Amino acid sequence: MKFESPATTNPIDQLKIVGQSVSRIDGPLKTTGTAPYAYERHDVVANQAYGYVVGSAIAKGRIKSIDLGAAKAAPGVLAIVTADNAGKLDKGRLNTAKLLGGPEIQHYHQAIAVVVAETFEQARAAAQLIRVDYAAEQGAFDLASLLDKAKPNPITAGPADTAVGDFAANFAAAPVRLDARYSTPDEAHAMMEPHATIAAWEGDKLTLWTSNQMIAWNKAEMAKILGMRAENVRLDSPFVGGGFGGKLFPRADALLAALGARAAKRPVKVALQRPLMFNNTTHRPATIQRIRIGATRDGKITAIGHESWSGDLPGGKADGAVAQTRLLYAGAHRMTATRLATLDLPEGNAMRAPGEATGMMALEIAVDEMAEKLGMDPIEFRILNDTQVDPEKPERPFSQRQLTECFRTGAERFGWSKRNPQPGRVRDGRWLVGIGAAAAFRNNLLTKSAARVRLDNGGIVTVETDMTDIGTGSYTIIAQTAAEMMGVPLEKVKVRLGDSAFPVSAGSGGQWGGNNSTAGVYAACVKLREAVAQKLGFNSAEAEFADGEVRSGNRRVPLAQAAADGGLSAEDEIEYGDLAKKYQQSTFGAHFVEVGVDAATAEIRVRRMLAVCAAGRILNPKTARSQVIGAMTMGVGAALMEELVVDKRTGFFVNHDLAAYEVPVHADIPHQEMFFLDETDPMSSPMKAKGVAELGICGVAAAVANAVYNATGVRVRDYPITLDKLLEQMPDVG
Amino acid sequence: MKSFTYERARNPAEAAASVLRKPDAKFIAGGTNLLDLMKLEIETPAHLIDVNGLALDKIEPTAEGGLRIGALVRNTDLAADSRVRRDYAVLSRALLAGASGQLRNKATTAGNLLQRTRCPYFYDTNQPCNKRRPGSGCAAIGGFSRQHAVVGGSEACIATHPSDMAVGMRALDATVETVRPDGATRAIPIAEFHHLPGSTPHVETALSPGELITAVTLPKPVGGTHIYRKVRDRASYAFALVSVAAIVQRDGTGRVALGGVAHKPWRIESADSQLPRGAKAVMAELLSGARPTRENAFKLSLAERTLGAVLTEAKG
Ligand SMILES: Cc1cc2nc3c(=O)[nH]c(=O)nc-3n(C[C@H](O)[C@H](O)[C@H](O)COP(=O)(O)OP(=O)(O)OC[C@H]3O[C@@H](n4cnc5c(N)ncnc54)[C@H](O)[C@@H]3O)c2cc1C
Ligand code: SF4
């Protein structure tokens, strides 16, 4: 099905099941520990051996020699694979660094060997006996020292640089100006489930039971890396314990399980041990950003400029921090620039709202600072500079844009009018109290997505697609979509996901999974409805599917009857025309945060949070809310504690476990509320839905930063905002 | 993890005897620290002697009017004990500020005293670390040292002792009771129990090889207001940047011990006497000779401000 013109009324609009707060259909499996996660799939293949990954001890240089003698002789060892004996391996298209290093080392903890043994403990013990002699080289590890050497680099959202009007002249001429630098640190996905894979060979066919967000990409990638035909690779990833972008591309667990299984001639399972994950896999790269805003005295932005620097391994990608500034606020004269430096740190790559999250962390502090310079309320300043068209290409309107409504609704619900615009004035016992706000803004991305739907003679509708559920609720919204389309209750729908044998879906990434994968299911269901109507002798345009029946006029036939002589099946794909070119499709929100800052210690504690979002049709308010409050929590982490600390001498992330890389715990998040505005977006898909999962993180950290400023009068522009950055400027205590 | 043999000791004498037989042996109690370190091969005992079966899990009054806490009393039970909460509240509060509920259920009194540093370079066996591999150097000096010691460190090591419990015990003048493999017992004042790193950061306590902790005793209660204030980036489940254990009497006199600033719970009795003159006066003495790194210099003013807030709170 090609989606080329705005959606009109369709069966989804009944909203009998879609749009309802349905609990996750996979919830019981998860709460009873019976959802099969990759490492625990003991039943899929017999005789599984265990692989343990060895990471490089240096960041850059070469392996002079590896002594495997003691490890090979250790109890239980079946095989050891290194670059020396792995055979020829290609590099994945989507990876910057090789998944198996040696003799050249590209980053710290790059995998250099996998030890396969009868038990996990034997593999680990043997791995620790491997002795490696390195020739280390000095690498580049300090982004701040490389700004002059950084080169323009395109970002996912477009070219490296954009310019409209004459930014320099108009900024210089603006009566009120802000010119400030911000920085965001390297951050880890730190998802609960580590990367894990069981690999088994049958002749030249490889099966990978794994944990992955993008099945089709990874099938192709694994085939490329191993020099195989794609049809000989199968991936199965029905449950994923979180990914946040860390499982978009193949990782060492999958490759080394495959190589280990080939060498040991039996199935092998590999999980990346937690202390290895932080340097071995990808991370959100650090940025340094400069934002300049010029405005008239009454608060109209006349010039806005955003530059961003990030670093990556040679051949890597830049963080797209400037992307949202291209679209968020009006202003006739504008510029953005993206520069990429070469670093020898682990590979930087996508993490939840890649670019958008980092850019909004800086931009939404800058806007708060600018409002203060203007003596304006920061929300009124934003509303004054709201736009209904793409500010770089005014001929492109937004399909829907309720930024102002989000702010107005949120301000009302949060009690924004009680905010004291003078910072450092509100006290509650030992706490200095402040509130802050920031815009949330993430684009809606369209990508094709296919599904197969089958009806059996018991009236059960089975959906199959290689879509993944990374904890988001894909199972549930797909079931809701099929139930609505086929007119059956939710219990009559079975959903099977994550298998590369199924039709290729959007996958989970870029907050595009929800809208695109359900639109693909919608397309397949439209086909199945036609097949059913034809089989039962209905005119498919008139037939109504409801309550397990097909009806037209006064004729009603049980749906199952269409499958009486064997199942009926239909497969289709949603594809998109150029609506996304003509209209800018985005999701919006407003974040509100109240913090307390301990007057003595400067410890920052969030007291309450609210997000109001407008993101198209909300397919399931319950699962969507979970996505948003999870993202808000992650935003608090980014604001207050998350930082991969770079050892700039030797080039690695020092705090590489969950004791040292802190993410929020329950005590950090006392009270969250979130609220969706009514919206349907007929430009997005027949579902009229958009993404919410990444919208929720965009802007949160800035709202926290602005609240900290409001509480203390101390402006911190370098994340994370930790007490040591406030202490010196805090008021004296007795 | 290296493979190891394992036995359950039934009484302290048997445990000690076993240690004499196997020099590479280690005791294991809750295992919450030791097992993690064994997995990373930072600790590589060839033999484990499980002391959980020793009947050292009671809290009893002493003849001197204090309390004797068995080495195996779990942190949760110690924090909840009504006598501890009434008479030694700083200890109860320190315990509850540490780790998580699950860990405290397993963690023992002796194990907590003997937990090792959380220096990230100590945890990464690729990195030089004098504590883990004597003579290899100290990666934290000149590296990531935000969490590290500001006082009492050395050219060899600037690690901190991460325990909260021990800071409370230091303020209470606790004593560590032990038995040696030859059966001799002794009582070590907590002030002398933990060592400064000096040139031997791998020697962390006064214990001799194989010496078993049997109990920690607390002297007679000293009254006063007991406060434990732990400062950290995350609201829970994080080690202290700085912590203050204070016992403050009505007349403003009292005691202060700091956590998160040194290789051991940090208290100087002569600084206590400055308490009536306020936090600045105390810190001038307590942190005199401090040598912070660029990354952790903030701990000096943080400690002072935190003590200031504690003293205000104590005045009520
Ligand atoms: C994630 C995490 C967070 C934590 N956060 C905190 C925190 O915030 N604050 C805090 O104070 N602690 C914290 N801890 C540490 C925790 O308190 C310790 O791990 C625990 O107290 C150790 O006790 P255990 O009985 O498990 O010791 P074990 O791991 O069993 O033993 C530790 C050491 O003591 C030795 N030992 C044990 N018993 C005896 C004995 N009777 N005689 C002689 N030697 C003995 C062992 O040989 C070993 O060397 C944290 C731990 C973890 C894992
Ligand atoms: S501070 Fe101590 S524990 Fe840390 S690296 Fe240096 S020697 Fe090792």
Side-chain angles (χ1 to χ4, degrees), chain A residues 659, chain B residues 26-36 43 51 71 75 97-99 103 106-108 110-112 114-115 118 162-165 207 211-213 230 237-239:
Chain B
K26 264 194 116 62
F27 301 119
I28 183 162
T32 60
N33 191 224
L34 183 58
L35 281 177
D36 282 359
E43 299 268 19
V51 296
N75 288 178
L103 283 159
K106 285 299 275 182
T108 63
N112 193 317
L114 292 174
Q115 65 174 294
R118 290 282 162 175
S163 170
D164 292 296
M165 180 194 82
L207 294 181
E211 193 168 358
L212 178 79
I213 297 177
K230 181 176 182 181
Y237 203 33
F239 292 95

Short mmCIF file of all heavy atoms in Angstrom, two decimals, chain A residues 659, chain B residues 26-36 43 51 71 75 97-99 103 106-108 110-112 114-115 118 162-165 207 211-213 230 237-239, ligand 1:
data_model
loop_
_atom_site.label_atom_id
_atom_site.label_comp_id
_atom_site.label_asym_id
_atom_site.label_seq_id
_atom_site.Cartn_x
_atom_site.Cartn_y
_atom_site.Cartn_z
N ALA A 659 28.14 0.48 38.80
CA ALA A 659 28.39 1.12 40.09
C ALA A 659 28.94 2.52 39.85
O ALA A 659 28.64 3.45 40.59
CB ALA A 659 29.36 0.30 40.92
N LYS B 26 40.97 -17.29 51.98
CA LYS B 26 40.29 -16.08 52.42
C LYS B 26 38.97 -16.48 53.08
O LYS B 26 38.37 -17.48 52.71
CB LYS B 26 39.99 -15.17 51.22
CG LYS B 26 41.04 -14.09 51.03
CD LYS B 26 40.59 -13.03 50.07
CE LYS B 26 40.44 -11.68 50.71
NZ LYS B 26 41.58 -11.04 51.29
N PHE B 27 38.56 -15.66 54.03
CA PHE B 27 37.23 -15.88 54.60
C PHE B 27 36.20 -15.29 53.65
O PHE B 27 36.44 -14.31 52.98
CB PHE B 27 37.11 -15.15 55.95
CG PHE B 27 38.13 -15.61 56.95
CD1 PHE B 27 39.06 -14.71 57.47
CD2 PHE B 27 38.16 -16.93 57.39
CE1 PHE B 27 40.00 -15.12 58.41
CE2 PHE B 27 39.10 -17.35 58.33
CZ PHE B 27 40.03 -16.44 58.83
N ILE B 28 35.04 -15.90 53.64
CA ILE B 28 33.93 -15.27 52.92
C ILE B 28 32.73 -15.16 53.85
O ILE B 28 32.37 -16.12 54.53
CB ILE B 28 33.57 -16.01 51.60
CG1 ILE B 28 32.45 -15.25 50.88
CG2 ILE B 28 33.18 -17.48 51.85
CD1 ILE B 28 32.32 -15.60 49.42
N ALA B 29 32.14 -13.97 53.87
CA ALA B 29 30.95 -13.76 54.70
C ALA B 29 29.76 -13.55 53.77
O ALA B 29 29.30 -14.50 53.14
CB ALA B 29 31.18 -12.58 55.64
N GLY B 30 29.28 -12.34 53.63
CA GLY B 30 28.16 -12.09 52.71
C GLY B 30 28.55 -12.28 51.25
O GLY B 30 27.71 -12.55 50.40
N GLY B 31 29.82 -12.11 50.97
CA GLY B 31 30.32 -12.31 49.61
C GLY B 31 30.00 -11.15 48.67
O GLY B 31 30.36 -11.20 47.49
N THR B 32 29.39 -10.11 49.17
CA THR B 32 28.94 -9.04 48.25
C THR B 32 30.10 -8.23 47.68
O THR B 32 29.96 -7.60 46.64
CB THR B 32 27.96 -8.07 48.94
OG1 THR B 32 28.63 -7.47 50.06
CG2 THR B 32 26.72 -8.79 49.42
N ASN B 33 31.23 -8.27 48.34
CA ASN B 33 32.40 -7.59 47.79
C ASN B 33 33.39 -8.60 47.24
O ASN B 33 33.88 -8.48 46.12
CB ASN B 33 33.04 -6.72 48.87
CG ASN B 33 34.09 -5.78 48.31
OD1 ASN B 33 35.16 -5.64 48.87
ND2 ASN B 33 33.81 -5.13 47.20
N LEU B 34 33.64 -9.63 48.00
CA LEU B 34 34.67 -10.59 47.62
C LEU B 34 34.36 -11.28 46.29
O LEU B 34 35.24 -11.42 45.44
CB LEU B 34 34.84 -11.63 48.74
CG LEU B 34 35.95 -12.65 48.51
CD1 LEU B 34 37.30 -11.97 48.32
CD2 LEU B 34 36.02 -13.64 49.68
N LEU B 35 33.11 -11.70 46.11
CA LEU B 35 32.79 -12.43 44.89
C LEU B 35 32.97 -11.55 43.65
O LEU B 35 33.48 -12.00 42.63
CB LEU B 35 31.37 -12.99 44.95
CG LEU B 35 31.22 -14.26 45.79
CD1 LEU B 35 29.76 -14.68 45.84
CD2 LEU B 35 32.06 -15.40 45.22
N ASP B 36 32.53 -10.30 43.74
CA ASP B 36 32.71 -9.39 42.60
C ASP B 36 34.19 -9.29 42.24
O ASP B 36 34.57 -9.30 41.06
CB ASP B 36 32.20 -7.99 42.95
CG ASP B 36 30.68 -7.90 42.86
OD1 ASP B 36 30.05 -8.91 42.52
OD2 ASP B 36 30.14 -6.82 43.15
N GLU B 43 40.82 -10.29 43.32
CA GLU B 43 41.11 -11.21 44.42
C GLU B 43 41.18 -12.62 43.82
O GLU B 43 40.32 -12.99 43.02
CB GLU B 43 39.99 -11.19 45.47
CG GLU B 43 39.75 -9.84 46.12
CD GLU B 43 40.55 -9.65 47.42
OE1 GLU B 43 41.55 -10.38 47.63
OE2 GLU B 43 40.17 -8.76 48.20
N VAL B 51 32.52 -18.36 56.64
CA VAL B 51 32.39 -18.14 58.09
C VAL B 51 30.93 -17.95 58.53
O VAL B 51 30.66 -17.69 59.69
CB VAL B 51 33.24 -16.93 58.55
CG1 VAL B 51 34.72 -17.20 58.33
CG2 VAL B 51 32.81 -15.65 57.82
N ALA B 71 30.62 -10.45 64.35
CA ALA B 71 31.18 -10.16 63.03
C ALA B 71 30.21 -10.47 61.89
O ALA B 71 30.31 -9.90 60.82
CB ALA B 71 32.47 -10.96 62.84
N ASN B 75 24.14 -6.11 58.06
CA ASN B 75 23.97 -4.66 58.13
C ASN B 75 22.52 -4.27 58.40
O ASN B 75 22.24 -3.35 59.15
CB ASN B 75 24.44 -4.00 56.83
CG ASN B 75 25.96 -4.00 56.66
OD1 ASN B 75 26.48 -3.55 55.66
ND2 ASN B 75 26.70 -4.53 57.64
N ALA B 97 22.45 4.45 55.05
CA ALA B 97 22.87 5.28 53.92
C ALA B 97 23.71 4.49 52.92
O ALA B 97 24.05 5.00 51.85
CB ALA B 97 23.67 6.48 54.43
N GLY B 98 24.05 3.25 53.28
CA GLY B 98 24.95 2.48 52.44
C GLY B 98 24.24 1.49 51.54
O GLY B 98 23.20 0.94 51.89
N ALA B 99 24.83 1.27 50.36
CA ALA B 99 24.42 0.21 49.43
C ALA B 99 22.91 0.22 49.20
O ALA B 99 22.31 1.28 49.06
CB ALA B 99 24.91 -1.14 49.93
N LEU B 103 21.64 -5.62 49.35
CA LEU B 103 23.04 -5.81 49.75
C LEU B 103 23.17 -5.81 51.27
O LEU B 103 23.90 -6.61 51.84
CB LEU B 103 23.91 -4.69 49.15
CG LEU B 103 24.23 -4.87 47.67
CD1 LEU B 103 24.62 -3.55 47.05
CD2 LEU B 103 25.33 -5.90 47.49
N LYS B 106 22.67 -9.04 53.04
CA LYS B 106 23.75 -10.02 52.97
C LYS B 106 25.01 -9.53 53.69
O LYS B 106 25.75 -10.31 54.28
CB LYS B 106 24.14 -10.27 51.49
CG LYS B 106 23.19 -11.13 50.70
CD LYS B 106 23.05 -12.51 51.25
CE LYS B 106 24.13 -13.49 50.79
NZ LYS B 106 23.90 -14.84 51.34
N ALA B 107 25.26 -8.24 53.59
CA ALA B 107 26.54 -7.68 54.05
C ALA B 107 26.69 -7.84 55.56
O ALA B 107 25.74 -7.63 56.31
CB ALA B 107 26.62 -6.21 53.68
N THR B 108 27.89 -8.20 55.99
CA THR B 108 28.14 -8.42 57.42
C THR B 108 28.98 -7.29 58.00
O THR B 108 29.61 -6.52 57.27
CB THR B 108 28.89 -9.74 57.62
OG1 THR B 108 30.17 -9.64 56.97
CG2 THR B 108 28.12 -10.92 57.04
N ALA B 110 31.83 -7.53 59.69
CA ALA B 110 33.26 -7.69 59.38
C ALA B 110 33.52 -7.40 57.90
O ALA B 110 34.48 -6.71 57.55
CB ALA B 110 33.72 -9.09 59.74
N GLY B 111 32.66 -7.94 57.06
CA GLY B 111 32.84 -7.75 55.62
C GLY B 111 32.78 -6.27 55.25
O GLY B 111 33.53 -5.79 54.39
N ASN B 112 31.90 -5.55 55.90
CA ASN B 112 31.76 -4.13 55.60
C ASN B 112 33.04 -3.37 55.96
O ASN B 112 33.54 -2.55 55.19
CB ASN B 112 30.56 -3.56 56.35
CG ASN B 112 30.17 -2.17 55.85
OD1 ASN B 112 31.05 -1.34 55.61
ND2 ASN B 112 28.90 -1.92 55.69
N LEU B 114 35.92 -4.52 55.92
CA LEU B 114 37.02 -4.96 55.06
C LEU B 114 36.74 -4.78 53.58
O LEU B 114 37.53 -5.20 52.75
CB LEU B 114 37.33 -6.44 55.36
CG LEU B 114 37.93 -6.68 56.75
CD1 LEU B 114 38.08 -8.16 57.01
CD2 LEU B 114 39.28 -5.98 56.87
N GLN B 115 35.62 -4.16 53.24
CA GLN B 115 35.36 -3.94 51.82
C GLN B 115 36.48 -3.09 51.24
O GLN B 115 37.07 -2.26 51.91
CB GLN B 115 34.01 -3.27 51.61
CG GLN B 115 33.90 -1.87 52.18
CD GLN B 115 32.58 -1.23 51.82
OE1 GLN B 115 32.33 -0.96 50.65
NE2 GLN B 115 31.74 -1.00 52.81
N ARG B 118 36.56 1.62 45.94
CA ARG B 118 35.80 1.66 44.69
C ARG B 118 36.54 2.45 43.61
O ARG B 118 35.92 2.86 42.62
CB ARG B 118 34.44 2.27 44.95
CG ARG B 118 33.55 1.36 45.77
CD ARG B 118 32.95 0.27 44.92
NE ARG B 118 32.46 -0.85 45.72
CZ ARG B 118 31.81 -1.88 45.21
NH1 ARG B 118 31.58 -1.96 43.92
NH2 ARG B 118 31.41 -2.86 45.97
N PRO B 162 35.42 3.04 51.17
CA PRO B 162 34.06 3.41 50.81
C PRO B 162 33.00 3.17 51.87
O PRO B 162 31.84 3.53 51.67
CB PRO B 162 33.78 2.51 49.59
CG PRO B 162 34.65 1.32 49.79
CD PRO B 162 35.86 1.76 50.57
N SER B 163 33.36 2.59 53.00
CA SER B 163 32.31 2.20 53.96
C SER B 163 31.67 3.41 54.64
O SER B 163 32.34 4.36 55.04
CB SER B 163 32.91 1.31 55.04
OG SER B 163 31.96 1.12 56.08
N ASP B 164 30.34 3.32 54.81
CA ASP B 164 29.62 4.28 55.65
C ASP B 164 29.63 3.80 57.10
O ASP B 164 29.84 4.59 58.02
CB ASP B 164 28.17 4.41 55.16
CG ASP B 164 28.10 5.09 53.81
OD1 ASP B 164 28.47 6.26 53.73
OD2 ASP B 164 27.69 4.43 52.84
N MET B 165 29.41 2.50 57.28
CA MET B 165 29.33 1.94 58.63
C MET B 165 30.58 2.28 59.44
O MET B 165 30.50 2.67 60.62
CB MET B 165 29.18 0.41 58.52
CG MET B 165 29.08 -0.30 59.86
SD MET B 165 29.31 -2.10 59.69
CE MET B 165 31.11 -2.17 59.65
N LEU B 207 45.07 -6.10 60.41
CA LEU B 207 44.94 -7.56 60.55
C LEU B 207 46.19 -8.26 60.03
O LEU B 207 46.76 -7.87 59.02
CB LEU B 207 43.74 -8.06 59.75
CG LEU B 207 42.34 -7.63 60.21
CD1 LEU B 207 41.28 -8.26 59.31
CD2 LEU B 207 42.11 -8.03 61.68
N GLU B 211 43.95 -13.60 60.30
CA GLU B 211 43.27 -13.11 61.50
C GLU B 211 41.78 -12.93 61.22
O GLU B 211 41.40 -12.32 60.23
CB GLU B 211 43.90 -11.78 61.94
CG GLU B 211 43.51 -11.35 63.33
CD GLU B 211 44.39 -10.20 63.83
OE1 GLU B 211 45.32 -9.79 63.11
OE2 GLU B 211 44.15 -9.74 64.96
N LEU B 212 40.97 -13.47 62.11
CA LEU B 212 39.52 -13.45 61.91
C LEU B 212 38.89 -12.40 62.82
O LEU B 212 39.17 -12.36 64.01
CB LEU B 212 38.95 -14.83 62.24
CG LEU B 212 37.43 -14.99 62.15
CD1 LEU B 212 36.98 -15.17 60.71
CD2 LEU B 212 36.97 -16.20 62.99
N ILE B 213 38.02 -11.59 62.23
CA ILE B 213 37.26 -10.65 63.06
C ILE B 213 36.12 -11.43 63.70
O ILE B 213 35.38 -12.15 63.02
CB ILE B 213 36.70 -9.50 62.22
CG1 ILE B 213 37.84 -8.69 61.60
CG2 ILE B 213 35.79 -8.59 63.06
CD1 ILE B 213 37.39 -7.57 60.69
N LYS B 230 25.20 11.92 54.35
CA LYS B 230 25.98 11.40 53.22
C LYS B 230 25.65 12.22 51.98
O LYS B 230 24.48 12.32 51.59
CB LYS B 230 25.61 9.93 52.99
CG LYS B 230 26.35 9.25 51.87
CD LYS B 230 25.98 7.78 51.80
CE LYS B 230 26.75 7.06 50.71
NZ LYS B 230 26.39 5.65 50.62
N TYR B 237 21.95 4.52 46.67
CA TYR B 237 22.74 3.52 45.98
C TYR B 237 23.96 4.13 45.28
O TYR B 237 24.23 3.88 44.12
CB TYR B 237 21.85 2.81 44.94
CG TYR B 237 22.30 1.44 44.53
CD1 TYR B 237 22.95 0.59 45.42
CD2 TYR B 237 22.09 0.97 43.23
CE1 TYR B 237 23.35 -0.67 45.03
CE2 TYR B 237 22.50 -0.28 42.84
CZ TYR B 237 23.12 -1.10 43.74
OH TYR B 237 23.52 -2.34 43.34
N ALA B 238 24.63 5.00 46.02
CA ALA B 238 25.84 5.60 45.48
C ALA B 238 26.81 5.80 46.64
O ALA B 238 26.38 5.99 47.79
CB ALA B 238 25.54 6.94 44.84
N PHE B 239 28.07 5.75 46.35
CA PHE B 239 29.07 5.97 47.39
C PHE B 239 29.17 7.46 47.69
O PHE B 239 28.82 8.30 46.87
CB PHE B 239 30.41 5.38 46.95
CG PHE B 239 30.35 3.88 46.89
CD1 PHE B 239 30.08 3.23 45.70
CD2 PHE B 239 30.50 3.13 48.04
CE1 PHE B 239 29.98 1.85 45.65
CE2 PHE B 239 30.40 1.75 48.01
CZ PHE B 239 30.14 1.10 46.80
C1 LIG C 1 26.67 -2.02 44.25
C2 LIG C 1 27.19 -1.87 45.64
C3 LIG C 1 27.00 -0.68 46.32
C4 LIG C 1 27.48 -0.53 47.60
N1 LIG C 1 27.29 0.67 48.24
C5 LIG C 1 27.80 0.84 49.49
C6 LIG C 1 27.68 2.05 50.18
O1 LIG C 1 27.06 3.01 49.70
N2 LIG C 1 28.22 2.17 51.41
C7 LIG C 1 28.88 1.12 52.00
O2 LIG C 1 29.34 1.26 53.13
N3 LIG C 1 29.03 -0.05 51.35
C8 LIG C 1 28.53 -0.21 50.12
N4 LIG C 1 28.68 -1.40 49.48
C9 LIG C 1 29.59 -2.40 50.06
C10 LIG C 1 28.95 -3.36 50.98
O3 LIG C 1 28.68 -2.70 52.18
C11 LIG C 1 29.98 -4.45 51.20
O4 LIG C 1 30.07 -5.18 50.00
C12 LIG C 1 29.62 -5.38 52.31
O5 LIG C 1 29.52 -4.68 53.51
C13 LIG C 1 30.67 -6.47 52.46
O6 LIG C 1 30.22 -7.41 53.42
P1 LIG C 1 30.21 -8.96 53.09
O7 LIG C 1 29.83 -9.65 54.33
O8 LIG C 1 29.40 -9.26 51.91
O9 LIG C 1 31.77 -9.17 52.79
P2 LIG C 1 32.50 -10.26 51.90
O10 LIG C 1 32.39 -9.87 50.48
O11 LIG C 1 32.06 -11.61 52.27
O12 LIG C 1 33.96 -10.05 52.42
C14 LIG C 1 34.67 -8.85 52.27
C15 LIG C 1 36.07 -9.04 52.82
O13 LIG C 1 36.03 -9.28 54.22
C16 LIG C 1 36.69 -10.47 54.56
N5 LIG C 1 35.99 -11.03 55.72
C17 LIG C 1 34.65 -11.26 55.81
N6 LIG C 1 34.35 -11.66 57.05
C18 LIG C 1 35.49 -11.68 57.76
C19 LIG C 1 35.84 -11.98 59.10
N7 LIG C 1 34.90 -12.35 60.01
N8 LIG C 1 37.10 -11.85 59.50
C20 LIG C 1 38.06 -11.47 58.63
N9 LIG C 1 37.81 -11.20 57.35
C21 LIG C 1 36.54 -11.28 56.92
C22 LIG C 1 36.65 -11.31 53.31
O14 LIG C 1 37.72 -12.22 53.28
C23 LIG C 1 36.78 -10.24 52.25
O15 LIG C 1 38.12 -9.89 52.05
C24 LIG C 1 28.18 -1.59 48.20
C25 LIG C 1 28.36 -2.78 47.54
C26 LIG C 1 27.87 -2.94 46.26
C27 LIG C 1 28.09 -4.24 45.58
#
